[in-house]
Amino acid sequence: MVDIIPEKMEALRLHRPGGPEALALEMVGTPRPGRGDVLVRVHAAAITRDELSWPVDRLPAIPSYELSGVAVAAGPEVRGSVVGQEVFGLTGFDRDGVAAGFAAVPARILAPKPAMMGHVEAAAIPLAGLTAWQALFVHGRLEQGQRVLIIGAAGGVGHLAVQLSRWRGAHVTGTTSRDAADLVRAAGADRVLDRTQVLESAVEPVDLVLDTVGGDALAGSAALVRPGGRVVSVAEEPPEAFGAAPLEASYFVVEPNREQLEELAGLADRGALRPAIDSVFALAEGRAAFERSLAPGKRGKVVLRVAEDPEVEGGADD
Ligand SMILES: NC(=O)c1ccc[n+]([C@@H]2O[C@H](COP(=O)([O-])OP(=O)(O)OC[C@H]3O[C@@H](n4cnc5c(N)ncnc54)[C@H](OP(=O)(O)O)[C@@H]3O)[C@@H](O)[C@H]2O)c1
């Protein structure tokens, strides 16, 4: 636990639109928790491919929108005794992220960290896990016994979507590069297809396609869905030509949701959901971490380890 909250903290900041070269590690003022906010001492923060292109009108910006840490202070109107708790969550995309020593986060979007996991693994769940949950069960309405095809099944979103689909009792097919087939199989896929394969002849029509890749893979997915089925993409808007096909096609942006996060934490604690960690970097290695997030061959999530405090760290990865 932190007794005294410092005036200044280390933070990664993006100074102009671009790639990892536009990031710098700096000392900035520690945020104060506003109404309804909790100040979290960040222990780990995970990052997502392409996220440096998201904050265009509020630069300089702190990246990373998912964290695991310890609540160290509460702002006005925060109910309950959250201070001292280990928490994790997805934060909003409209304010600074969490690649920093501390972050002020609305209490209503945080949940208790999975007890069986350390901070590094816990931080790897919120963004990809909530994206997969909302894609499959909210937008995709996936039910037990249905068939789902996950495009990009070895990615951050994809490998958790495989595990969640399996837990729901769906028949799961995943596409991936050949070298990641084992990861997708281990996540619980019934079938794993090479991404270069012609899918139309290989896949029995599915009830739902979850696309995490976009481009040609998304464009070709209409042919793989049964009449009346659904395509949900998190990579980009489906092409207009989809409008003529007898299916529902949608794109959405993930939203923080505490109830869904609690479901994910419960699954993690029961061993039904386990994030793959591609690599772990120190905050000072932020540029290298973001370069890795864009690299081909990455498997699972890239995580920044921000704090190491043996008194509060728990779980295997810490
Ligand atoms: N809309 C939202 O709310 C939302 C939320 C989360 C993420 N996203 C976006 O969704 C995308 C995926 O995110 P992520 O975190 O899962 O990224 P990721 O971890 O980089 O995973 C993408 C995966 O797709 C694979 N891939 C690339 N082209 C493929 C193809 N043609 N067929 C099959 N697999 C292919 C990649 O494997 P290789 O290594 O083989 O290339 C990689 O495993 C990103 O663009 C991200 O920004 C959107």
Side-chain angles (χ1 to χ4, degrees):
M1 178 74 78
V2 182
D3 295 318
I4 299 166
I5 296 162
E7 288 287 312
K8 298 238 170 201
M9 64 175 189
E10 281 191 328
L12 267 188
R13 292 211 299 175
L14 180 74
H15 282 267
R16 54 186 185 281
E21 72 290 344
L23 286 169
L25 183 71
E26 298 173 328
M27 292 304 288
V28 300
T30 303
R32 291 171 188 275
R35 182 167 292 128
D37 283 348
V38 166
L39 185 68
V40 180
R41 186 189 187 202
V42 181
H43 281 243
I47 62 182
T48 300
R49 182 194 289 252
D50 301 335
E51 70 156 82
L52 293 181
S53 65
W54 299 345
V56 284
D57 52 2
R58 51 177 184 82
L59 296 172
I62 299 175
S64 173
Y65 302 92
E66 51 189 337
L67 84 169
S68 181
V70 176
V72 292
E77 295 177 22
V78 172
R79 278 181 282 160
S81 53
V82 67
V83 173
Q85 276 187 21
E86 294 188 318
V87 292
F88 80 140
L90 165 68
T91 64
F93 301 128
D94 57 346
R95 60 201 264 181
D96 264 337
V98 299
F102 295 83
V105 182
R108 66 182 162 74
I109 59 175
L110 290 169
K113 168 178 111 21
M116 306 302 288
M117 277 180 182
H119 288 290
V120 165
E121 270 191 303
I125 289 180
L127 195 149
L130 287 172
T131 303
W133 183 282
Q134 291 168 19
L136 294 169
F137 306 141
V138 179
H139 301 277
R141 307 188 306 279
L142 183 68
E143 290 174 11
Q144 183 175 13
Q146 292 192 329
R147 303 178 73 82
V148 59
L149 172 68
I150 296 165
I151 300 178
V157 175
H159 83 293
L160 295 184
V162 171
Q163 296 177 47
L164 291 174
S165 303
R166 184 61 188 251
W167 165 74
R168 179 53 57 97
H171 181 280
V172 191
T173 303
T175 72
T176 184
S177 306
R178 193 172 301 235
D179 68 316
D182 285 347
L183 186 154
V184 178
R185 236 174 255 120
D190 298 282
R191 285 191 74 195
V192 183
L193 301 175
D194 189 282
R195 67 189 240 187
T196 57
Q197 209 170 328
V198 179
L199 297 182
E200 219 171 318
S201 53
V203 177
E204 212 176 290
V206 296
D207 299 281
L208 173 66
V209 170
L210 166 51
D211 164 62
T212 74
V213 170
D216 290 345
L218 172 58
S221 66
L224 310 172
V225 177
R226 68 159 171 79
R230 285 95 56 205
V231 174
V232 176
S233 179
V234 298
E236 62 187 29
E237 291 281 356
E240 293 206 347
F242 262 28
L247 55 82
E248 265 179 53
S250 60
Y251 165 83
F252 75 99
V253 174
V254 63
E255 291 182 0
N257 184 303
R258 194 218 312 243
E259 288 72 32
Q260 293 167 359
L261 202 55
E262 287 170 346
E263 297 258 20
L264 295 172
L267 289 172
D269 278 338
R270 297 198 294 281
L273 188 72
R274 190 104 217 167
I277 307 298
D278 174 84
S279 42
V280 181
F281 293 83
L283 192 59
E285 302 169 318
R287 282 189 185 177
F290 276 90
E291 273 157 17
R292 179 65 193 163
S293 77
L294 295 163
K298 179 190 58 165
R299 300 291 167 237
K301 294 284 296 190
V302 178
V303 184
L304 296 165
R305 190 195 295 275
V306 182
E308 292 194 63
D309 183 344
E311 280 177 43
V312 292
E313 295 279 0
D317 61 30
D318 295 314

